[in-house]
Amino acid sequence: MPIFIRQPQRHYGITSAISLAPPREIDHQYTKKLCDAMKPFGVFEDEEELNHRLAVLGKLNNFVKEWIAEISELKNLPPSAISCVGGKIFTFGSYRLGVHTKGADIDALCVAPRHVERTDFFQSFFEKLKQHEEIKDLRVSLWHFVIKVAIDLLFARLALQSIPDNLDLRGDSILRNLDIRCIRSLNGCRVTDEILYLVPNKENFRLTLRAIKLWAKRRGIYSNMLGFLGGVSWAMLVARTCQLYPNAVAATLVHKFFLVFSKWEWPNPVLLKQPEDSNLNLPVWDPRVNPSDRYHLMPIITPAYPQQNSTYNVSTSTRTIMSEEFKYGLSVTDEILQGKAEWPKLFEPPNFFQKYKHYIVLTASASTEENHLEWIGLVESKIRVLVGNLERNEYITLAHVNPQSFPGSKENRSENDFVSMWFIGIIFKKVENAESVNIDLTYDIQSFTDTVYRQANNINMLKDGMKIEATHVKKKQLHQYLPPELVQKKKRVRYISVQIGSGDVMPNAASSPKEEPNGLEDSINGAPAKRPHSPTEEDMTKRLKETEVRRVLSVIIAVGLSCKVKVVTLHFFLLQVVSNDDSTFKEPYPPSDLSTGEGHNTVSVTYCLLLINCVNQDKT
């Protein structure tokens, strides 16, 4: 009798899957709607642009082979060796993962054999590229070329005599006898290839990652430089979600992504595989061995040797902000999958400039456009230093930098200046038993500007006209720096409560409806946000009537005080208002907007005429 042994299903990652459930028909429908919602944002590349990229990469690969052959001849290699010396272009990052957007650059790596030096790459290869008319805006950086608009090109030389076309970079043995710069250059390709190898379904992974990257950019939390997450970190979080739900389609995976990471207990690390030691004595992330690794707040560990934490820039504030965004994403996707909302809601941007009461405005200016581009690159790379300084201030709870920069307004720059601005929202701690506290941010800001100027001096970048300033402003002052559409808020009705008794009629302090809770501030201050219930028609009518009464009473106060109307007359008028037929209030009011409209004018005029009549009677 034959015995059948059931093979266990392979599991991906360091744990078994949470669910192996296959997708339902409705899951495919939600995924189709998700794709439709992303299309307006240009996240999908058309066939023509894709073919153009492939053609450019093909030409560049040929340039590399020609150049390496020329270098080999100059270095007196025999003709037999020159004919097979090879050379190759590898891609990595979003393009290699298959999630690049329209117009995005390609991250690429030029791999050369051992006899080709790094200096050859930055000299002779640079000159070779300059001779081609097709290549525009070629710039050399410290580690790489930038060939705008298409390619950002790194270099690595391997300890091999030749570079075959079928070379696989995943094996750890290729790292032997390499200098640290080449190992770092290879890291991007090795990590990208490992991520793709470790996900159960590449197409589901790619579509989910497109959605998460779009969401992160729209919500203002996509920037490794500023302490949020960069592309590779988002890719690893999505890959881990795919490992936990290997049979799920993109719509389900997006929801599960928020479910998993809204509940993740940081600083427990996210790992796609168990770290392996390749005995090459390279430094790897390991908090048991490296004390500095124990202070990483949100570790997401790259899967290729040498394993590194891709999120070492994350700060207390940025982790708090991202954790709140994960919770927000979960609540929205819950609504979407329950049929209460549509996918575009997930991609709605927050109103950063209404979120906080206090802001730091960071301004970087230079006298020429070229100097300005160089200067803002350095300043932006150091903004997290300012955020760190602010976080360490005993009176500051949170410092939230908006990754988007803004051009300086005409009022805040000289005629010949080029200006960029960044904004940092600040939450100050509530100080008990203190009516007011003066908080001095001078040291925090000065320490940051000193760091930037010192760095610019060290690399000989600082030129005349390069300036940096940081100013503390309140929310109501933002209009001095930004266009009205970014800082304006909805009109709110100001209410005046009155006391009517045997004495004079006097207004109490003006009060206004509280602003919508922003979730983040509420959670930090320990006050959970309460959702308002949906108003009934009766509630609406009552609310509108009460609002109109308050509006007219403000007129009563003004007229009454100026005309010295007797209290009894005001009592009479108040009774007229309150006992008035409800039909008066059944004007076409919008349900959630209490700003002045046509209905308000009709009712107010009626009541004001009545008031004037009361005043005239009192005088007679």
Side-chain angles (χ1 to χ4, degrees):
M1 179 177 177
I3 299 175
F4 297 98
I5 300 175
R6 185 176 180 181
Q7 294 290 333
Q9 180 173 340
R10 174 194 171 187
H11 78 257
Y12 294 80
I14 62 173
T15 63
S16 57
I18 292 175
S19 172
L20 298 174
R24 304 164 298 169
E25 177 58 32
I26 193 170
D27 297 328
H28 290 291
Q29 294 173 11
Y30 277 122
T31 299
K32 171 67 167 58
K33 290 180 179 179
L34 174 61
C35 290
D36 293 340
M38 288 193 289
K39 284 177 182 176
F41 297 99
V43 299
F44 299 106
E45 188 176 49
D46 57 37
E47 196 72 23
E48 183 180 353
E49 189 173 357
L50 178 61
N51 291 335
H52 175 67
R53 288 179 185 271
L54 292 173
V56 169
L57 285 170
K59 287 182 180 180
L60 186 60
N61 200 53
N62 290 334
F63 288 162
V64 166
K65 290 178 183 292
E66 289 175 12
W67 166 67
I68 290 176
E70 292 167 4
I71 288 289
S72 302
E73 189 174 357
L74 289 172
K75 297 192 177 185
N76 299 319
L77 265 68
S80 58
I82 294 173
S83 63
C84 62
V85 76
K88 189 174 180 182
I89 291 291
F90 291 86
T91 59
F92 62 98
S94 62
Y95 182 82
R96 176 73 181 94
L97 289 172
V99 296
H100 58 287
T101 56
K102 288 182 179 179
D105 290 355
I106 299 173
D107 293 311
L109 171 70
C110 171
V111 175
R114 62 189 179 192
H115 61 273
V116 179
E117 303 287 340
R118 182 172 292 272
T119 52
D120 297 325
F121 178 72
F122 283 105
Q123 292 173 8
S124 62
F125 187 57
F126 178 73
E127 292 301 323
K128 183 177 178 67
L129 290 176
K130 280 175 63 177
Q131 294 171 9
H132 289 271
E133 295 181 357
E134 302 168 83
I135 296 175
K136 308 291 185 186
D137 192 15
L138 181 64
R139 294 186 288 114
V140 179
S141 186
L142 184 63
W143 283 83
H144 55 102
F145 287 145
V146 181
I147 308 173
K148 289 296 184 184
V149 171
I151 298 172
D152 193 345
L153 187 62
L154 301 177
F155 174 81
R157 61 192 287 264
L158 303 185
L160 302 173
Q161 289 184 341
S162 62
I163 306 298
D165 286 338
N166 63 349
L167 178 66
D168 185 357
L169 298 179
R170 283 188 61 227
D172 294 346
S173 60
I174 66 165
L175 301 179
R176 293 188 185 278
N177 303 316
L178 299 188
D179 68 46
I180 191 65
R181 291 175 298 178
C182 291
I183 291 172
R184 288 173 181 168
S185 294
L186 287 164
N187 193 51
C189 292
R190 287 168 49 77
V191 168
T192 304
D193 288 350
E194 201 67 29
I195 290 172
L196 288 173
Y197 178 76
L198 292 169
V199 295
N201 183 301
K202 292 181 178 59
E203 287 310 308
N204 289 338
F205 163 75
R206 285 173 175 139
L207 188 53
T208 307
L209 181 53
R210 285 185 186 275
I212 294 302
K213 287 181 68 173
L214 175 61
W215 165 81
K217 289 175 182 177
R218 297 284 292 170
R219 299 299 296 179
I221 54 173
Y222 189 105
S223 175
N224 177 58
M225 185 185 297
L226 295 177
F228 296 106
L229 303 191
V232 69
S233 300
W234 290 116
M236 287 188 285
L237 293 189
V238 171
R240 186 69 186 118
T241 308
C242 292
Q243 291 177 339
L244 295 171
Y245 300 89
N247 299 321
V249 291
T252 306
L253 287 168
V254 169
H255 177 246
K256 298 301 184 186
F257 172 91
F258 293 119
L259 178 63
V260 169
F261 293 109
S262 64
K263 300 180 184 303
W264 196 272
E265 294 182 357
W266 306 105
N268 289 326
V270 175
L271 296 163
L272 298 183
K273 60 183 277 192
Q274 285 292 356
E276 299 170 356
D277 188 359
S278 297
N279 296 317
L280 295 177
N281 295 320
L282 294 173
V284 298
W285 185 86
D286 189 345
R288 297 169 302 177
V289 177
N290 309 315
S292 61
D293 292 345
R294 299 169 196 168
Y295 298 98
H296 292 177
L297 300 175
M298 198 175 179
I300 302 172
I301 310 306
T302 57
Y305 180 83
Q307 297 84 3
Q308 302 294 318
N309 176 23
S310 66
T311 60
Y312 56 86
N313 286 338
V314 169
S315 70
T316 305
S317 290
T318 53
R319 186 179 70 173
T320 299
I321 293 156
M322 287 187 283
S323 295
E324 289 300 320
E325 287 296 343
F326 289 143
K327 293 172 186 175
Y328 170 79
L330 178 62
S331 68
V332 173
T333 50
D334 277 341
E335 291 180 10
I336 292 168
L337 298 185
Q338 292 167 10
K340 299 177 182 178
E342 298 297 330
W343 284 109
K345 182 176 180 180
L346 183 65
F347 306 121
E348 291 176 358
N351 193 341
F352 177 81
F353 298 106
Q354 288 298 319
K355 195 165 190 173
Y356 302 104
K357 296 178 181 177
H358 302 271
Y359 294 84
I360 299 291
V361 183
L362 178 61
T363 305
S365 58
S367 54
T368 70
E369 186 174 10
E370 185 179 356
N371 288 350
H372 179 244
L373 288 173
E374 202 174 12
W375 183 230
I376 62 172
L378 176 64
V379 172
E380 187 173 33
S381 71
K382 299 297 180 184
I383 290 177
R384 67 178 184 272
V385 174
L386 176 57
V387 171
N389 291 348
L390 295 170
E391 285 179 339
R392 286 187 288 274
N393 188 302
E394 62 176 321
Y395 295 109
I396 292 179
T397 300
L398 182 135
H400 180 180
V401 58
N402 186 343
Q404 184 181 358
S405 64
F406 297 85
S409 60
K410 293 180 181 178
E411 295 81 6
N412 293 287
R413 63 178 176 182
S414 304
E415 203 170 294
N416 300 321
D417 274 357
F418 294 84
V419 179
S420 291
M421 298 183 298
W422 294 266
F423 293 81
I424 303 173
I426 301 293
I427 296 180
F428 289 106
K429 289 181 181 177
K430 292 181 178 178
V431 181
E432 295 183 3
N433 303 321
E435 293 184 4
S436 64
V437 177
N438 291 324
I439 301 172
D440 188 0
L441 302 179
T442 305
Y443 176 79
D444 303 325
I445 292 171
Q446 189 65 48
S447 174
F448 161 71
T449 56
D450 288 347
T451 300
V452 176
Y453 285 127
R454 184 167 55 250
Q455 177 73 14
N457 264 324
N458 290 343
I459 60 176
N460 297 318
M461 177 194 289
L462 195 61
K463 299 178 178 66
D464 288 341
M466 289 183 172
K467 297 177 185 176
I468 181 171
E469 295 177 350
T471 309
H472 166 240
V473 301
K474 293 185 178 180
K475 179 168 63 175
K476 61 185 178 182
Q477 297 171 290
L478 288 175
H479 70 276
Q480 301 171 14
Y481 301 87
L482 293 163
E485 60 270 16
L486 288 177
V487 297
Q488 65 187 4
K489 65 177 181 179
K490 293 179 181 178
K491 293 180 180 178
R492 301 182 187 275
V493 180
R494 293 191 64 83
Y495 299 149
I496 298 180
S497 60
V498 298
Q499 296 174 339
I500 299 180
S502 57
D504 292 336
V505 180
M506 294 295 292
N508 286 339
S511 60
S512 62
K514 291 185 178 179
E515 295 182 11
E516 294 284 338
N518 59 35
L520 179 60
E521 288 199 60
D522 283 343
S523 68
I524 288 171
N525 295 330
K530 295 182 180 179
R531 294 186 179 181
H533 68 280
S534 299
T536 63
E537 184 176 350
E538 183 179 349
D539 291 335
M540 299 250 321
T541 303
K542 182 180 178 182
R543 183 193 308 169
L544 292 170
K545 183 168 183 176
E546 288 172 350
T547 302
E548 198 57 60
V549 168
R550 292 189 182 100
R551 173 200 288 275
V552 176
L553 286 179
S554 65
V555 179
I556 294 174
I557 292 165
V559 176
L561 292 176
S562 62
C563 300
K564 298 182 180 179
V565 182
K566 292 180 181 178
V567 173
V568 66
T569 307
L570 290 176
H571 272 155
F572 166 76
F573 180 71
L574 181 60
L575 289 172
Q576 292 288 331
V577 172
V578 174
S579 63
N580 195 28
D581 190 283
D582 280 350
S583 62
T584 309
F585 293 94
K586 293 180 182 178
E587 297 286 339
Y589 293 98
S592 61
D593 184 4
L594 298 180
S595 59
T596 304
E598 185 177 346
H600 288 79
N601 289 339
T602 304
V603 179
S604 297
V605 168
T606 303
Y607 288 152
C608 288
L609 288 174
L610 181 57
L611 173 61
I612 292 169
N613 184 50
C614 290
V615 172
N616 289 335
Q617 288 178 3
D618 185 69
K619 287 181 178 180
T620 59

